[in-house]
Amino acid sequence: MHLSTALLTDHYELTMVDAARRAGTADRGSVFELFTRRLSGARRYGVVAGTGRLLEAIDRFRFTDTELDFLKSRGVVSDGTLDWLANFRFSGNIWGYPEGEVFFPGSPLINVEASFAEGVLFETLALSVLNYDSAVATAASRMSHAAKGKPLAEMGSRRTSEYSAVAAARAAYIAGFSATSNLEAGRSYGIPTMGTAAHSFMLLHDSERAAFEAQIATLGTDTTLLVDTYDIEQGVRTAIEVAGTGLGAVRIDSGDLPVVVARVRQLLDELGATQTRITVTNDLDEHTVAVLAASPVDSFGVGTSVVVGSGSPTMGMVYKLVAHEDEQGNWVSVAKKSADKVSVGGRKRVYRRLNSRGIAVAESIVVNDGSHSSVSQSKQPSTKTAEGREILVPLVTNGEVLLDHTGTAGIAAARERHRQRVAELPAVAMSLTRGDPAIPTEYV
């Protein structure tokens, strides 16, 4: 992948800039907003993920000679706009929901205040990152709750693209997963990695016993042995014969899991391996995790379901212009009126209203007219006010990315924030059935 992120966008973003420059409207002050009209899959809440990745991508949004030569060869924009792009540096402000925060329909997840030309360039990039990462995090959050505190590992790299796999591991970790199988995610984001052996390793050796012996010799007795390549009960017996009763864990990847798990736990106890843990994999989702959480399973490995958002691979987010300056420099609210695609114009501020027990009861969105005084916000952290806790925080100030939202420190903060915010939601938010959002969105 090229270091520059400038071409991770759609063709029409640049033609809009070209046309706006020709019309003399490119420099008009504008406010863009990213939001979703509904929660995909009739989820009860969404989880913001990808913010740190987006900020890092914005910091690398530069048109170098490589990008400019490509655009020129295709005739995408005029020579004048090529010159403008060559000097492009984002100089505006971005506010948003901090990563790990929960959100609901209408929540303005990011607000971009800049010239039209600057703000429109980030539409595709922002949607690409936040739609996918938030879908994964939302699914992972549901799974984390369904597991009732038992560890989950993300292991879905082979079920998505190579770069999405890294993003998925990051998003799942923010939403409560404890580890990933993806080594690049471990290197790039400091996420704990895990893994031992697959069925191919078992089949390579002349016997299951020989495979277990080879693994134990290399990884020690605290490893996890895969016991379902042949007969599960015999596999468990052989595993304990080879490793002893101090074996770390056995993994089960097939069968009627609730029945099999109960039998394996019984057998391990009979063999004296009372501390040997059981981990299960086998195409798990939040529903199967919820069923198995009450069984003697100690940990879960989730693959396909988490990296595809458990049936909702995107959050349906959109990026719309909600306010801009007119010819006289006055701010004007604008909104889309198309059927089923209505948006709410104007700059927004957001408060999470809580009851006396600290449980969220509403997402209160205050709509302003788009004037400069209402667009400009304090750079202070979110605080509790009479209206509730203010949600939007500064992400980029005068073109400078606020680094506390990026890197491993940003991920750690997002993970803790997710834990706190989910704990504030009403009990209905944890339902795995389709339904209305856990709290209403109110426009004030």
Side-chain angles (χ1 to χ4, degrees), residues 125 142 215 225 249 267 385:
L125 180 62
R142 285 157 57 88
Q215 185 174 330
L225 296 179
L267 183 56
T385 71

Side-chain angles (χ1 to χ4, degrees), residues 194-439:
M194 48 70 65
T196 51
H199 289 105
S200 60
F201 184 79
M202 302 296 118
L203 296 170
L204 167 68
H205 293 82
D206 294 336
S207 67
E208 187 174 53
R209 178 182 294 273
F212 288 164
E213 288 173 344
Q215 185 174 330
I216 292 294
T218 302
L219 300 178
T221 58
D222 195 40
T223 190
T224 300
L225 296 179
L226 180 58
V227 296
D228 71 338
T229 305
Y230 305 107
D231 177 81
I232 292 179
E233 290 200 21
Q234 184 56 53
V236 171
R237 294 181 185 279
T238 302
I240 300 305
E241 289 173 7
V242 171
T245 56
L247 175 64
V250 296
R251 177 163 76 94
I252 304 169
D253 190 50
S254 61
D256 185 348
L257 289 177
V259 175
V260 171
V261 165
R263 175 55 184 149
V264 168
R265 180 73 270 160
Q266 179 186 24
L267 183 56
L268 286 170
D269 291 346
E270 290 173 357
L271 295 172
T274 57
Q275 300 304 307
T276 297
R277 302 177 301 277
I278 299 174
T279 187
V280 297
T281 48
N282 192 32
D283 291 331
L284 305 180
D285 62 13
E286 60 264 52
H287 301 284
T288 51
V289 167
V291 170
L292 289 167
S295 75
V297 169
D298 296 287
S299 61
F300 304 90
V302 185
T304 303
S305 186
V306 69
V307 300
V308 299
S310 194
S312 296
T314 178
M315 294 304 295
M317 296 172 184
V318 295
Y319 186 94
K320 300 298 179 185
L321 181 68
V322 294
H324 67 79
E325 291 178 313
D326 63 17
E327 292 181 351
Q328 289 73 44
N330 299 312
W331 282 91
V332 179
S333 295
V334 294
K336 189 172 181 179
K337 302 299 183 184
S338 306
D340 299 323
K341 291 189 175 182
V342 173
S343 59
V344 178
R347 184 65 162 82
K348 319 293 194 309
R349 298 185 78 158
V350 186
Y351 300 88
R352 180 80 40 77
R353 292 204 294 111
L354 309 174
N355 64 19
S356 59
R357 295 179 291 111
I359 301 300
V361 295
E363 196 83 332
S364 183
I365 300 180
V366 181
V367 183
N368 295 310
D369 63 5
S371 65
H372 191 273
S373 60
S374 64
V375 170
S376 297
Q377 285 194 338
S378 168
K379 298 185 179 74
Q380 297 302 313
S382 299
T383 57
K384 291 187 176 181
T385 71
E387 298 88 352
R389 184 179 57 250
E390 190 166 6
I391 302 298
L392 297 178
V393 300
L395 302 174
V396 179
T397 300
N398 297 325
E400 294 295 323
V401 170
L402 301 186
L403 298 180
D404 53 337
H405 296 287
T406 63
T408 56
I411 293 172
R415 182 174 166 89
E416 174 59 19
R417 184 178 298 111
H418 168 264
R419 186 191 66 78
Q420 294 177 5
R421 298 301 183 258
V422 169
E424 288 179 351
L425 295 177
V428 69
M430 302 304 117
S431 173
L432 297 181
T433 61
R434 295 170 63 89
D436 295 330
I439 62 174

